Structure formats: C-alpha cells, structure tokens
Amino acid sequence: MKELEDRYLERLSELYPTIAKASTEIINLQAILNLPKGTEHFLTDIHGEYEAFSHVLKNGSGSVRRKIEDVFGNTMSSREKQTLATLIYYPEEKMERIRQKEENMEEWYRITLYRLIEVCKCAASKYTRSKVRKALPPDFAYVIEELMTEKAEGIDKESYYNAIVSTIIRIGRADRFIVALSELIQRLIVDHLHIVGDIYDRGPGPHIIMDKLMAYHSVDIQWGNHDVLWMGAAAGQRGCIANVIRICARYGNLDILEDGYGINLLPLATFAMNTYEQDSCACFQLKGESGHGKEEKLLEIKMHKAMSVIQFKVEGQLIREHPEFHLDSRNLLHLMNCETGTIEIQGHTYELLDTNFPTVDWKDPYALTKEEEEIMERLTGAFQNCEKLQRHMRFLLSKGGLYKICNQNLLYHGCVPLAEDGSLKKVSLYGKEYQGKSLYEMLESSVRKGFYAMEEEERKKGRDLMWYIWLGEDSPLFGKDKMATFERYFLADKATHKEEKNPYYHLLENEQAMNGILREFGLPEEGSHIINGHVPVKSKSGESPVKCGGKVLVIDGGFSKAYQKETGIAGYTLIYNSYGLILAAHEPFESTEGAIEKESDIHSDSTIVKRVVERKLVGDTDVGRELQEQILDLERLLAAYRSGKIAERM
C-alpha cells in the first residue's frame, strides 16, 4: 500500500512539479469550496414534447426570471422584465420583432446590452473566473470578460466601459453580441441538468431533444422504461422494435422513424394496406392528432394494427423462450376463439372487439408469416444500422444509468420493487435473486452487455432483458403486474385494463419504507431525498408531488400532452440551488411562436420544498468532497517535497 501511495505521489508531481505550483492549486481549490453550489435542474417524463422541453431548458424552470428579479428588483417594470426574459430565451427571434417596431434601435441596443451584462455578472458570480471563461463564446470571449469584470468606477473606467458598448453597436455586431450574452446567461443559470427518464414516445420530437441534450454543457440521464425500449430496439431486440413502431403509429408519430431516423417503413405500409384493405381497424384509431390527411391517417391506422399483431406474436415467442421472466399470463393470442368472437382469460369469457386476424395461424398463433418475418428482418437491420439512432443510444449509455446518487438525492425513474410490508422485494432472474440496489445494478449491467458484450449469448441475454425491463412485473422501470396492451385494444371491459402498481406506490408516504430504500443505496435517512417520475401526479385531483414529508419528490406531472387532461398541468420540474429545493408546476406550453410574440412564458407556480438554514457551498456537495480529497493529496505531495522524499522538477 505504501508503495502504491508513493507511486501515486510521483505521478501527481508530474502535474504539479514544484512547491509553488502545488501550493497555488491548493489555494485555488480551497477558494472554490467556498463558492455557492451550482444550480441543479431536474426534468422527467419529457416524452418527445420538444417545444415545451426546449422552453423549460431556456428558462431554467423560472431561474432566468428569478435572476432578473434579483438584479433589477423594482427598477424595471414587470413588462420590461418579461421582455428581457423573452429576449434571453429567444434572442434572434425576439430581436427580429423588436426591429420592426423600435424607432431608435441604437438606444435600444445600448440599454439592452447594459441590462444583459448585469444579468450575466449576477449569473456568473457563483463560479470561478476560469469556469466562466470556459463557458464564454469564442467570438466574443475577451470583450464579454472585460465587460463582466470591469467596474465602472471613476471617469476613466466608465469611459472605457461605454466605449466598448458603443463600438459593438457602431460596427454592427450588437445583434450577435446580444445572442452570445443571452446564450451565456442560459448556460450559467443552470450548472447541471438531470433527466430522470422517459425522453422517448408519445410526443413528436424525441430525436430533437436528444440532439439538444448532446449539445448541453453538463447532463446525466436516468433511463426510463421508454428509453430502454428504444435502446433495445437499437440493439436489434425484436420485441422492443415492435413496441417502438406500434407506439409511434398509435400516436401518429411514424415521422420520428421515417424522417427523424431515416428508417424505411414502406414494406410495413405496403403489407398493412394489402392485408387490412377491407378492415376499418376500428380498435386501432390514433391517439391524438397526427396532423396528416385522411388517406395518410388511414394508412397509419392499418400499420398500427399490422405491427400490433406482429408484436403479440414476437412477444409470445419471447415469453416461451424465457420462462424465467414469469410472463406466461401475457400470452393471450392462443386463448382467442374467432368463431365465437370471444376470449377466455383466467376463467372469465369476454367478447372480442376485433376478430379479423388474417395473418394468424390458429394452430401456431405466435408464428410469423413469411411476409411478417421479412418485414421484421428488414426493420431489425434498419434499427441496428441507423447511424443517428446508434449515436443517440451511445449517448444514453455514456451519460446514463438506472439510478444516480448526487448530493444526497437518489434519482431513479420508476420504483424500487417492494413487498406489501415495505421490505425490498426479492426478484429471481436467471437462477439468482436480486433486490433493491443489486437488482438495479444487475439490470444496468445487462443493458450495457446488450450493446458491448463480446459473446453473442451474453449480448442476446442483455438485449432480451431490455424487453423485460420494459414490461416485466418486477422491473423497477415498470412496476405493475401487467402491461394490458392486448386488453386495451380488444376488450371493452375496463376492469381488464387495470394494471396493479407495485406496493412501492402506495407506500410512498410510509417513512419506514422510504428510509429503507435510502439505506439500501447508502444514503442517510436525514437530509436525503428520493426524486423520481414515471407515474403522472394527478394535480387536478389534489394529489401532491411532495410525499413522505418532503423525503420523496415525484416530478412527473404531465409533460406529455396525452396526459394533461388527466393531470391538469403540464409537468413538474425541480430546481436545487444554494438556497434549497424549489418545485415548479407548469401550465401547458402554448407554442414557441406564442412565447416570442406574446411573451407568454410558461406560467409556473413555484413551491419551496426545502430551504437551507445556511447557504450551501461547493464544499457541501459531492464535487466539494472530491475537491477536498484532491487538496489532501496535494498536501501530501507538499509534505513529500519538503521532506526531500520527492525532488521538485525545475
């Protein structure tokens, strides 16, 4: 051990070769520990709603507006503050409209530049100059740094400051400078972004959201069940591919696959039109409006049915192949009697809403026809070879996981499977038992193996587990006794549609159970929080996202338009800054055009969940603890230099 430590100090001395350099770094790190902690922003269940997501990202769930209030207080009217906020969110678009109305643009530029610089200074105040410098746009880095660090004290300084601003306006660079300042403010307002699952499905733009996240300065992602479904599809898992296409068809979002990812659906479309030409496909109407014409919509409905039938067949094969998944009760095709138009499930007989299944061989109902097999082969190749999709999935793998512990907050998308008594439920998979943290870690490892394992058997096992994570009763990302897809399509009796949630969900107010989860993941009971999404919070029914006295925060409130009638709002987001935790409940987002033209920011009701007695500093965070360890290492290096154990490298 002593030899290992000596070798480490030798390596450290290569980075800090003198007493002076090691000492300077200790001073710098110690100073950083005393800065206010950076703002963390938590979002979950975005579900492809890229316009609302983009706006919330730009306004930092109200953080930009709060910063404007801090800087200008009562010195600006409420309308002026809103205009300035809109300019920061959409600088190019807003300036275009202002130029059409403003008579004295030079004066407007001057006032606006001064205001933006003041907001910039305030936003940058909690960071080191080095960190701010790295965030500066290259084209204007020197000038912005001068304006942000100069204090207009005395005639000379004031003249210098004014001369910079006047020159920016005179040489026609004011527009680009305003854009640069606005984007810098957005960058500085939020230090780190947490996405707590479900970027994909339902909404029209998950691929656009992924592009935005890949360009974001600091982000981590806890995978949701819909994300893992797309990961499985990208890895070539047939059950996942069938579900992805069916869901896109159901919500009228096949454009995501065709235009967003360039996946050819023509063979499926041709098959669907030929097979169901005389079928109204009444059970497969689209959810929401696709925005397409009558003929295209009719085609989408037929594709919806065609892929649903293929899905039930493919999943039937997977269920038979994997008895260890305990999904036998979800194989229902062979229970149908199309002559009587009924199905018998667990001793009950139900009438079927649809009995037209021309591709089902009732002697072997889970066998794909030759044409269906060819379609699935083509689709599997298309998903596996789509460069953009693979790039997005690699990003999820590199930035994501099934859970994360950060600053005494435990982040995961769904639930930790519990027994009725609140104890951790034991889950058996492949002959081994897992529970709590070990279940999460085994499943996360399997997802990664599904992409990277060298052995084909291990890769296939990982791919199939991605499908299990999507719909398995004991999957922490699903957490229900069944996925009633079949029943929702074919049975009118709504009792059959019911999906019983894991006990976790009715134990959210049970402090003993929640403390048990925190302990399982190595967190102290006091001062720690569980932050998750997955199940929409029904705000209009009086349900609160704050559970267990503030120990649990469920922040899925309905980003997805499909859920907003049910929830009554358009999502919760969470801000954790140096003063505490702030929960924001958002009203539905009108449109980007409305936000620019009418300056209609998303109205958000903010609730302080937890206010700290003393302002939290970097030293109080996980990053701070890492910096303290670095300081200790550097102090050991200093001692080695001063004792003569290691020679300075002059």
Side-chain angles (χ1 to χ4, degrees):
M1 194 69 183
K2 185 76 167 57
E3 185 183 342
L4 190 63
E5 185 179 332
D6 290 345
R7 196 180 308 141
Y8 172 70
L9 291 177
E10 284 285 354
R11 294 287 178 270
L12 195 61
S13 71
E14 293 173 9
L15 294 173
Y16 305 99
T18 65
I19 289 174
K21 290 194 174 179
S23 300
T24 300
E25 185 65 7
I26 289 170
I27 294 165
N28 290 340
L29 294 177
Q30 193 65 53
I32 292 170
L33 292 176
N34 290 284
L35 288 170
K37 82 172 280 295
T39 298
E40 297 171 70
H41 193 189
F42 301 79
L43 285 79
T44 183
D45 295 272
I46 304 159
H47 284 302
E49 299 293 347
Y50 68 93
E51 280 201 336
F53 164 77
S54 179
H55 189 80
V56 169
L57 211 59
K58 289 173 183 292
N59 76 3
S61 288
S63 295
V64 169
R65 188 60 194 263
R66 282 192 289 272
K67 198 65 69 178
I68 292 171
E69 289 289 346
D70 291 344
V71 174
F72 297 107
N74 296 321
T75 62
M76 282 173 65
S77 69
S78 179
R79 184 56 187 265
E80 286 176 316
K81 291 173 188 172
Q82 190 56 52
T83 299
L84 183 61
T86 305
L87 178 70
I88 291 169
Y89 308 152
Y90 305 100
E92 292 178 283
E93 298 88 343
K94 189 62 183 172
M95 277 192 290
E96 187 179 330
R97 286 159 176 77
I98 287 169
R99 277 193 294 271
Q100 294 169 6
K101 299 176 183 177
E102 184 61 48
E103 294 179 3
N104 189 344
M105 278 303 293
E106 185 172 332
E107 184 62 19
W108 182 86
Y109 280 137
R110 190 178 303 278
I111 292 169
T112 301
L113 283 168
Y114 280 118
R115 286 174 174 174
L116 289 173
I117 290 160
E118 290 306 309
V119 177
C120 247
K121 285 181 182 177
C122 183
S125 63
K126 62 167 66 176
Y127 303 115
T128 63
R129 186 174 293 188
S130 172
K131 187 166 184 175
V132 173
R133 192 174 290 129
K134 288 173 185 174
L136 295 174
D139 289 351
F140 297 106
Y142 173 76
V143 178
I144 292 176
E145 189 171 4
E146 285 291 291
L147 291 172
M148 285 174 61
T149 55
E150 278 297 335
K151 295 180 180 178
E153 295 169 356
I155 296 171
D156 292 340
K157 288 290 185 182
E158 189 174 349
S159 298
Y160 173 72
Y161 194 91
N162 290 338
I164 293 174
V165 173
S166 296
T167 304
I168 290 167
I169 297 168
R170 181 173 59 79
I171 64 174
R173 295 293 281 166
D175 283 5
R176 294 311 308 159
F177 201 74
I178 285 170
V179 171
L181 284 172
S182 298
E183 290 175 350
L184 178 60
I185 290 166
Q186 290 180 38
R187 161 68 180 80
L188 295 173
I189 286 291
V190 172
D191 189 41
H192 188 81
L193 176 66
H194 303 281
I195 303 293
V196 195
D198 277 359
I199 295 163
Y200 281 88
D201 289 332
R202 300 197 181 99
H207 53 298
I208 302 171
I209 292 169
M210 287 299 296
D211 285 338
K212 283 186 175 292
L213 289 175
M214 289 179 75
Y216 202 74
H217 58 272
S218 183
V219 62
D220 61 66
I221 301 163
Q222 288 68 62
W223 306 326
N225 53 324
H226 288 269
D227 305 322
V228 172
L229 180 68
W230 277 75
M231 293 165 84
Q237 210 289 330
R238 284 188 167 196
C240 294
I241 290 170
N243 272 279
V244 161
I245 296 172
R246 177 187 62 79
I247 293 169
C248 283
R250 188 183 186 205
Y251 287 89
N253 286 329
L254 290 171
D255 289 349
I256 296 170
L257 294 167
E258 293 182 296
D259 300 335
Y261 287 115
I263 290 173
N264 182 14
L265 297 179
L266 184 59
L268 174 63
T270 304
F271 168 76
M273 281 303 295
N274 291 338
T275 305
Y276 300 103
E277 186 177 5
Q278 304 303 319
D279 190 337
S280 68
C281 302
C283 295
F284 295 89
Q285 298 302 308
L286 306 187
K287 198 163 184 177
E289 290 298 322
S290 69
H292 296 150
K294 185 179 178 182
E295 291 299 319
E296 197 168 351
K297 189 175 178 181
L298 185 61
L299 174 59
E300 287 177 328
I301 290 169
K302 294 184 186 302
M303 291 171 73
H304 184 192
K305 179 170 183 178
M307 186 47 67
S308 298
V309 174
I310 290 173
Q311 177 189 314
F312 296 135
K313 290 183 178 185
V314 169
E315 290 188 332
Q317 295 171 17
L318 284 164
I319 290 166
R320 287 180 174 178
E321 185 183 347
H322 293 285
E324 65 275 9
F325 290 170
H326 310 294
L327 288 166
D328 291 349
S329 63
R330 302 313 305 145
N331 259 357
L332 301 173
L333 274 185
H334 67 285
L335 301 178
M336 293 196 299
N337 186 332
C338 285
E339 291 180 5
T340 60
T342 61
I343 185 171
E344 187 175 326
I345 303 174
Q346 295 180 344
H348 297 280
T349 301
Y350 302 96
E351 284 190 19
L352 291 164
L353 297 173
D354 189 339
T355 57
N356 183 36
F357 299 100
T359 69
V360 177
D361 177 356
W362 296 109
K363 294 177 182 176
D364 187 4
Y366 301 105
L368 294 173
T369 65
K370 183 182 178 183
E371 204 168 353
E372 286 172 331
E373 180 63 38
E374 287 175 355
I375 287 168
M376 286 307 297
E377 281 185 12
R378 286 190 181 191
L379 287 170
T380 300
F383 273 82
Q384 288 180 310
N385 295 307
C386 174
E387 191 278 329
K388 184 175 181 178
L389 179 62
Q390 295 300 324
R391 180 159 30 93
H392 284 171
M393 296 305 106
R394 286 196 301 272
F395 180 74
L396 285 179
L397 287 161
S398 66
K399 292 291 184 180
L402 286 181
Y403 76 94
K404 184 177 180 66
I405 296 167
C406 183
N407 297 328
Q408 272 191 254
N409 294 317
L410 173 59
L411 283 57
Y412 51 77
H413 178 68
C415 69
V416 175
L418 300 177
E420 283 293 343
D421 63 359
S423 62
L424 297 171
K425 184 177 182 181
K426 292 181 179 178
V427 178
S428 178
L429 281 168
Y430 292 105
K432 291 185 179 179
E433 281 194 339
Y434 305 90
Q435 59 182 21
K437 188 179 178 184
S438 69
L439 176 62
Y440 269 82
E441 290 177 345
M442 186 279 287
L443 291 174
E444 181 176 326
S445 172
S446 296
V447 170
R448 297 188 190 282
K449 287 176 182 176
F451 284 90
Y452 299 130
M454 295 295 290
E455 295 178 11
E456 174 55 34
E457 188 179 339
E458 279 294 296
R459 248 193 344 271
K460 184 182 184 311
K461 185 176 170 183
R463 290 196 298 264
D464 290 350
L465 271 167
M466 286 186 239
W467 174 75
Y468 171 83
I469 289 169
W470 161 244
L471 49 55
E473 178 180 355
D474 294 321
S475 162
L477 296 193
F478 182 54
K480 298 177 186 177
D481 67 334
K482 67 180 181 182
M483 187 173 283
T485 308
F486 182 97
E487 291 89 338
R488 291 175 188 275
Y489 282 129
F490 299 126
L491 305 182
D493 188 343
K494 291 194 181 298
T496 65
H497 303 178
K498 191 171 177 59
E499 299 168 342
E500 292 290 343
K501 297 175 188 173
N502 182 269
Y504 171 88
Y505 291 101
H506 65 251
L507 291 167
L508 284 170
E509 298 286 2
N510 185 312
E511 190 168 2
Q512 185 177 348
M514 296 303 107
N515 283 341
I517 291 173
L518 291 171
R519 287 195 304 272
E520 169 70 7
F521 284 86
L523 285 166
E525 296 174 10
E526 293 303 316
S528 298
H529 305 89
I530 294 169
I531 300 171
N532 73 302
H534 187 52
V535 175
V537 177
K538 296 178 182 177
S539 178
K540 72 176 186 179
S541 302
E543 185 182 359
S544 171
V546 182
K547 313 285 186 184
C548 202
K551 189 160 283 190
V552 181
L553 301 165
V554 181
I555 58 171
D556 177 9
F559 242 114
S560 172
K561 289 178 182 177
Y563 279 147
Q564 287 171 10
K565 288 182 181 178
E566 185 181 343
T567 62
I569 62 168
Y572 290 100
T573 56
L574 189 69
I575 288 290
Y576 182 23
N577 60 25
S578 57
Y579 295 105
L581 284 162
I582 302 168
L583 185 73
H586 304 288
E587 288 185 359
F589 182 61
E590 180 186 340
S591 67
T592 301
E593 183 66 26
I596 299 163
E597 189 65 44
K598 303 176 189 175
E599 298 181 351
S600 56
D601 202 350
I602 292 182
H603 178 71
S604 306
D605 289 326
S606 296
T607 305
I608 297 173
V609 178
K610 181 180 179 181
R611 186 187 291 277
V612 294
V613 178
E614 293 183 6
R615 193 177 187 188
K616 277 197 175 290
L617 306 178
V618 172
D620 302 316
T621 67
D622 292 346
V623 169
R625 281 180 276 281
E626 290 175 12
L627 294 179
Q628 285 165 348
E629 288 177 6
Q630 289 178 37
I631 289 170
L632 286 174
D633 290 342
L634 286 164
E635 287 176 347
R636 290 191 191 102
L637 179 62
L638 273 182
Y641 280 141
R642 286 170 176 154
S643 68
K645 189 174 182 179
I646 295 177
E648 289 184 275
R649 300 165 187 256
M650 306 303 288

